[in-house]
Amino acid sequence: MVQDMLNSERADFIWDEETGRYVSRLPSSLPEVLILSWDGGGLAFSRLLSPDDKPLPARLRIMEMTEGTSVQALMGSKILCAVLLVSRKAVQHPTFAPVVQVCIGAASRRRLFRLFVHLIDVTPDEFRSLPLEAVKDLLDTVQMREQTEGSVIALQAALRRYLQALPELRNHLRHEGWRQSANSLLSHAPQVLMIQLTVSLGCLAYLGQEAQAGWYFAWLLFGLGEAWFLSLLVLLSLPTLVDSSFFIRSTLLVVPILMLAVWPPSILAPHWPYLLAGFCTAALLDRAGRRTANAQRKWIGVDLDQWCKSEDRVSVPGHYTFSFLTRGPLLPPKAKVFISYARSSEWGRTVALSLHQAFQQAGVTSFLDAEKIPYGSSWRHRLQEELGSASVFVQVQDLVSTIRPWVIAELAFASSTQWECGLPLIVLVRHPHLQESSLPPDTPTLVRLSLFPVQQDELPLLSVIKYREDLPQTLAEELSHYPSSGVSVIPPLLGALLNLGVAPFRVLLGVLGALSCFGAWVAVVGFLGSLYSDLGPIAFLKERQLFSWFLLLMAYWLGFVASLGVASLFEVRHRLAGINARFQACTAGVLTVLVAFLSLSSDPLSLIYAGLACALGVIVAADYVATAVPLAGWMRERPDV
């Protein structure tokens, strides 16, 4: 019955800035906080939590748990938070374990649900030593406060902070849904590209020299340009790929080269714009596909039921797959470490803390839940967000952690995302006395095969290290070396050289993007001014051979300002972000009209290049927001979800 109380997600209320309270459209739609007590202290605690002089902006529901407790009257409540008052009597009550499982399930599934544990007459050390599965589940899932002088004040502050942030949390979840829909749409672009590429190469191979007589020959060469990009990608990535998918990679490497025997350069040279357009299209789609795959990691979900009970859905980490070629990072990213451990394990907590401190001293970005998750945060969803952005996953394993649900789910999450896009690199730190024969009988197959792989030399994305005293410093020093510490399609040294080669081009695009707002309006005003010339704007540009370049520039600026406007609306927290978003929207609207007007006098090939320029503008703006804006301190603080 408690499960039904916690399943409700919708609460119809708004925050009133003048009164500092929630104003509800209906009295029953205020946010509700459920206080669960087993020793009759719920009412007294609620008065401490929400005093008359400073009440919480929510309705408090008090529930005293007994063996015959019925929650039928609270079925329709919109419970957004639960506070468990844990005492010695509570942990011995028969309803304690079922209620804990229900609350943890709600915290795992619902992003707007918060779970707090307040210790009444038991210290954290005493609570941790209790041999109960429900106690271990709580230790691995939520933060808790013992009964001290400021503990109720801290809980009250966390609740107030959460309740006041609810409107922004809801907006954030809606925006996240839009991003997820957009990424799902972009994720199908590689499949469309491969189908179009297969059709183009098939037609070229079938028609042979006769294809030159058709008007479609140039467009078939567009697909050949795409194939050349894939062959170049395979050629550059050969040193880092193992023998999996050898036939497919050999085909992508050899077929575009064999095409040169059918159509010599003398035939292909007059159609070089189509070949270049195909090559650039494949490059931009490849960039979009990799960014989409990396973004989708955050939405896979750390599902305890799926990954702890259905082992056949998760593959053992470490293997390269063909998807790594098309979805893995081209260049090695900087190390961003997620440290996974079981908080119910004393050895695991000690080793995790030492690793975190060593990483911090070496300048490596590292995430440790005990230090990085504020009290009152959504535990599971913050872990999922950090897991989805980590490039290195370090897990501390001993006899306790091998069977803990959250540890298993985090390893399964990392293994699943590694199978999809090659990230993160998984490092398992094993207890020095842990042997395969000493593993508990109910150890999942995923954990068993990861800790003791059959042929570890063939698993380049998995490292199993036996713990020793100098391991934190050694591992931190290794991960601090950039770019050699990352996982990438292209070898680190070659990737560094390529990065140096494209650096001037990226700087030029960045400068062009920074001046895009003013430059775009200058170009628009100049274009409108040319209406008064004798030739007209189109003829004026074509006479001076500027029409194609002007169209490309306007299309690039359109993509840049549109992407920057969206980022200003959802990501930038500067006080002028809203004004900038409206200005960018106005600029994008004017540029859309101008580009559409120019497109009426353009040939199909020019339109393709305009689309590529627009996509390039979107990518440059995204890079600008991801690098320059955080350095200026203008990024929006993420809601506590």
Side-chain angles (χ1 to χ4, degrees):
M1 290 184 179
V2 177
Q3 178 70 62
D4 296 329
M5 295 172 56
L6 302 176
N7 275 338
S8 177
E9 185 70 81
R10 185 170 179 268
D12 196 5
F13 55 89
I14 58 176
W15 176 257
D16 187 2
E17 293 289 349
E18 296 182 359
T19 62
R21 294 179 62 87
Y22 274 89
V23 178
S24 173
R25 297 183 177 90
L26 296 173
S28 61
S29 61
L30 284 170
E32 296 186 357
V33 177
L34 179 65
I35 299 177
L36 295 173
S37 174
W38 284 265
D39 55 4
L43 181 60
F45 184 82
S46 66
R47 291 173 180 171
L48 293 174
L49 191 62
S50 182
D52 295 336
D53 58 337
K54 195 176 181 182
L56 289 174
R59 301 172 63 188
L60 298 184
R61 294 273 184 165
I62 304 168
M63 190 172 185
E64 297 293 342
M65 300 301 299
T66 63
E67 294 186 17
T69 300
S70 173
V71 293
Q72 188 67 34
L74 299 178
M75 284 296 182
S77 300
K78 295 174 173 59
I79 305 296
L80 293 179
C81 178
V83 180
L84 305 184
L85 304 182
V86 178
S87 61
R88 290 186 175 91
K89 180 180 178 181
V91 296
Q92 297 174 359
H93 202 277
T95 62
F96 180 73
V99 168
V100 166
Q101 294 303 319
V102 167
C103 292
I104 290 178
S108 174
R109 288 186 296 272
R110 294 176 50 199
R111 296 203 171 197
L112 292 184
F113 180 81
R114 297 294 183 269
L115 176 62
F116 295 89
V117 175
H118 193 83
L119 302 180
I120 300 299
D121 57 357
V122 58
T123 65
D125 292 336
E126 293 174 347
F127 185 73
R128 189 176 292 109
S129 63
L130 294 175
L132 298 175
E133 195 69 19
V135 170
K136 294 181 180 180
D137 291 338
L138 284 177
L139 288 173
D140 290 342
T141 306
V142 297
Q143 295 162 306
M144 54 191 65
R145 291 290 187 270
E146 62 178 320
Q147 183 67 29
T148 58
E149 182 177 352
S151 60
V152 178
I153 298 177
L155 176 58
Q156 184 189 68
L159 279 173
R160 188 178 300 277
R161 189 167 56 248
Y162 162 65
L163 293 171
Q164 291 177 354
L166 272 175
E168 185 178 358
L169 293 179
R170 295 183 182 279
N171 291 333
H172 176 81
L173 293 181
R174 284 198 295 268
H175 299 155
E176 187 176 273
W178 296 342
R179 294 191 190 100
Q180 188 172 4
S181 300
N183 283 337
S184 298
L185 184 62
L186 286 175
S187 64
H188 296 290
Q191 288 86 340
V192 175
L193 172 65
M194 292 303 297
I195 293 174
Q196 180 263 331
L197 173 62
T198 303
V199 172
S200 299
L201 295 181
C203 291
L204 283 172
Y206 176 75
L207 296 175
Q209 293 287 350
E210 298 179 0
Q212 301 178 50
W215 59 270
Y216 47 81
F217 177 64
W219 292 107
L220 294 179
L221 295 185
F222 183 88
L224 183 59
E226 296 171 336
W228 281 354
F229 171 80
L230 294 178
S231 64
L232 178 63
L233 180 62
V234 172
L235 184 62
L236 294 176
S237 63
L238 283 179
T240 60
L241 292 177
V242 293
D243 293 334
S244 61
S245 307
F246 175 78
F247 175 76
I248 299 178
R249 291 190 292 110
S250 300
T251 302
L252 293 175
L253 180 62
V254 174
V255 168
I257 300 176
L258 293 179
M259 291 289 183
L260 294 176
V262 182
W263 298 278
S266 59
I267 297 177
L268 300 179
H271 303 285
W272 68 267
Y274 294 90
L275 293 170
L276 181 61
F279 188 91
C280 295
T281 299
L284 290 178
L285 286 178
D286 180 79
R287 174 69 180 273
R290 296 180 195 278
R291 291 176 66 98
T292 300
N294 192 44
Q296 285 183 324
R297 294 171 57 200
K298 296 182 179 181
W299 292 308
I300 292 179
V302 185
D303 194 330
L304 295 178
D305 295 333
Q306 175 184 351
W307 284 338
C308 296
K309 298 179 181 179
S310 302
E311 300 177 12
D312 55 337
R313 299 186 180 182
V314 183
S315 61
V316 179
H319 288 286
Y320 282 116
T321 63
F322 181 70
S323 61
F324 179 75
L325 176 65
T326 58
R327 308 187 72 178
L330 274 181
L331 304 178
K334 289 186 177 180
K336 183 179 180 182
V337 184
F338 181 96
I339 302 176
S340 173
Y341 68 104
R343 288 194 296 160
S344 54
S345 168
E346 185 69 28
W347 181 83
R349 289 189 292 112
T350 303
V351 172
L353 182 60
S354 63
L355 286 170
H356 178 65
Q357 293 173 348
F359 291 148
Q360 295 294 90
Q361 294 175 0
V364 178
T365 303
S366 134
F367 175 82
L368 186 69
D369 53 9
E371 294 191 5
K372 295 297 184 70
I373 300 182
Y375 180 54
S377 299
S378 177
W379 192 264
R380 174 262 191 188
H381 295 286
R382 181 63 185 274
L383 290 181
Q384 178 176 326
E385 181 180 342
E386 296 295 335
L387 273 169
S389 59
S391 60
V392 181
F393 176 82
V394 178
Q395 186 168 86
V396 182
Q397 285 279 8
D398 60 358
L399 283 177
V400 176
S401 59
T402 53
I403 57 175
R404 298 308 305 156
W406 278 110
V407 176
I408 299 170
E410 289 168 359
L411 177 60
F413 181 99
S415 178
S416 178
T417 59
Q418 187 188 90
W419 181 266
E420 290 292 332
C421 59
L423 287 176
L425 173 67
I426 296 178
V427 179
L428 298 181
V429 179
R430 194 173 65 196
H431 192 281
H433 303 304
L434 182 63
Q435 302 294 331
E436 186 173 8
S437 58
S438 63
L439 291 177
D442 53 347
T443 302
T445 305
L446 170 65
V447 177
R448 187 182 298 273
L449 294 181
S450 299
L451 282 174
F452 301 97
V454 179
Q455 294 178 329
Q456 187 173 344
D457 296 339
E458 298 181 2
L459 303 176
L461 300 181
L462 172 67
S463 298
V464 183
I465 307 174
K466 184 179 293 186
Y467 181 78
R468 56 184 186 274
E469 292 298 328
D470 62 337
L471 178 62
Q473 290 73 24
T474 303
L475 188 59
E477 182 180 357
E478 181 180 349
L479 293 180
S480 63
H481 295 160
Y482 176 77
S484 60
S485 61
V487 178
S488 62
V489 175
I490 299 178
L493 181 59
L494 181 57
L497 294 176
L498 292 177
N499 204 13
L500 289 175
V502 300
F505 179 69
R506 297 184 64 180
V507 171
L508 177 62
L509 289 177
V511 173
L512 183 63
L515 301 176
S516 64
C517 297
F518 302 101
W521 282 104
V522 170
V524 170
V525 172
F527 182 82
L528 295 177
S530 64
L531 292 173
Y532 295 96
S533 66
D534 297 335
L535 298 176
I538 303 298
F540 179 83
L541 292 172
K542 288 186 175 181
E543 180 180 303
R544 289 163 176 77
Q545 298 181 351
L546 297 175
F547 180 80
S548 298
W549 292 105
F550 187 78
L551 175 61
L552 293 179
L553 192 59
M554 292 298 101
Y556 169 81
W557 276 338
L558 173 59
F560 185 90
V561 299
S563 180
L564 189 59
V566 172
S568 299
L569 185 61
F570 297 130
E571 299 180 34
V572 180
R573 63 177 175 88
H574 191 262
R575 59 187 179 88
L576 299 179
I579 299 176
N580 182 63
R582 289 189 287 272
F583 175 73
Q584 302 293 354
C586 178
T587 304
V590 174
L591 288 176
T592 301
V593 174
L594 180 58
V595 171
F597 180 75
L598 294 173
S599 299
L600 298 176
S601 302
S602 304
D603 58 276
L605 187 60
S606 297
L607 293 180
I608 291 177
Y609 278 109
L612 295 176
C614 184
L616 184 62
V618 171
I619 292 175
V620 172
D623 289 341
Y624 170 74
V625 171
T627 55
V629 175
L631 294 177
W634 287 2
M635 291 300 292
R636 182 180 299 275
E637 294 180 358
R638 294 180 178 178
D640 192 13
V641 297

